[in-house]
Amino acid sequence: MAWRSSLSRSVKEIRFLFCQSSPASGPAREFVKNYGDIKTHNPALPILIRECSGVKPQLWARYDMGVERCVHLDGLTEAQIDKKLEELAKQGAHKAK
């Protein structure tokens, strides 16, 4: 997971949206327990965690120039969510070049 160390170089902000109680949001709720690890490697990166009743789990990444990308997390496992975050980070790295 070396890519986590360079996350703040390619992404300007990360947002997690999920429901506090729905089973579909369970893996996303579990994944945000990685907040400490991600924040340790990227102390200046804003990581927003938003809970809203009934919302489908989503992961948003904001890049330079206000460009945003969304990934729907419904039905994904924690490992798959981690992979999606890595993909968003790589997309941002390509935009920076």
Side-chain angles (χ1 to χ4, degrees):
M1 292 192 213
W3 62 269
R4 283 188 179 185
S5 299
S6 62
L7 189 59
S8 60
R9 290 186 206 138
S10 57
V11 179
K12 300 301 175 196
E13 178 184 277
I14 295 174
R15 277 175 278 151
F16 289 94
L17 287 79
F18 53 82
C19 178
Q20 309 93 311
S21 58
S22 76
S25 291
R29 286 192 303 270
E30 289 299 314
F31 182 81
V32 296
K33 292 180 181 176
N34 294 310
Y35 173 88
D37 180 52
I38 295 170
K39 198 63 175 173
T40 298
H41 290 96
N42 304 278
L45 178 67
I47 302 172
L48 304 151
I49 300 169
R50 300 291 184 251
E51 297 176 321
C52 181
S53 182
V55 74
K56 300 243 184 223
Q58 303 170 27
L59 169 59
W60 286 82
R62 185 175 51 83
Y63 305 102
D64 282 332
M65 308 291 285
V67 175
E68 294 187 336
R69 297 280 181 259
C70 176
V71 176
H72 295 278
L73 307 176
D74 199 10
L76 299 182
T77 65
E78 283 184 70
Q80 291 169 323
I81 293 171
D82 192 59
K83 185 69 175 166
K84 293 294 182 183
L85 181 56
E86 181 180 7
E87 290 170 10
L88 288 171
K90 287 180 180 178
Q91 286 178 8
H94 291 291
K95 290 179 186 309
K97 291 181 181 178

